[in-house]
Amino acid sequence: MAGQADNRAPYAKIAAHYTELIASGQLQPGSLLPSIKNLAEEWKVSTATAEKALRKLRNDGLVRGIHGIGTEVLDRPASMSSGSQRQDRGRRTGSSWGQGERSDSHQAAVVPAPTEVAHALDIEPGSDVVRRSRVYRDRHGIVAHSTSWIPARYGKLIPQLATSERLTGGTSLQLIAQATGRPISHRIDTASARLLTPDDARLLELDPDHLPAEPVVVMTAQFVDSEGNIVEYGVDLGGPGRAWRTESEVTP
């Protein structure tokens, strides 16, 4: 990231580099990665570090080792991101996109809050809310259909929230925090799976008369500011075949 120090371990930097090349399509399925020896020489690290980087890529399901041949790039859809992961990414980079992703079909409108949304935002059903939606895609197709529900008072404070185009100047959460002076203090995440409804299928650009038999991942996130106000409720509907994956360090 420009202007920010990269404090990741060397193996993680190497793995992230090849993850981006794979996600962007610069490394196609079937391509071979450099050998451990060549990686070590190119990145000026030990062979143990180079091997650890390749192991991470294997654990992430991006490559596989073929005895006597090398490390081959696999053709698998990337995992979807939760709302909280997109928030973290937006805070670090200014964009909620994952590696190799883009977004389109940005839509926004002020609508009455459905019951589930009103409950999540702690407002009365039917109250005005800003509904922002977009579709995240990568080279495999739709990663997720994402909807942000925001109390209408923030739309009045930040008119851009109610316009059907990609936000400028930051994510919705960043814009709200800047306008109110109240940072986001915590979030509440859920993850579940469900069979697609015809309405879900339309959001994912699928034929509603021929629904997939397998369930999809559904992730929600409530974002709360420093005064306890719920400023946004996000719902991410994963595309068929997309999984959710998270990773964290384990301290002995």
Side-chain angles (χ1 to χ4, degrees), residues 129-143:
V129 292
V130 176
R131 181 187 63 206
R132 293 190 57 81
S133 63
R134 81 290 293 167
V135 176
Y136 290 99
R137 306 176 194 271
D138 64 12
R139 63 191 179 87
H140 289 278
I142 291 182
V143 179

Side-chain angles (χ1 to χ4, degrees), residues 92-121:
R92 295 194 311 268
T93 70
S95 172
S96 62
W97 294 347
Q99 291 174 324
E101 281 186 351
R102 67 186 190 280
S103 61
D104 57 32
S105 304
H106 291 256
Q107 299 291 326
V110 176
V111 300
T115 301
E116 174 196 352
V117 171
H119 176 75
L121 292 174

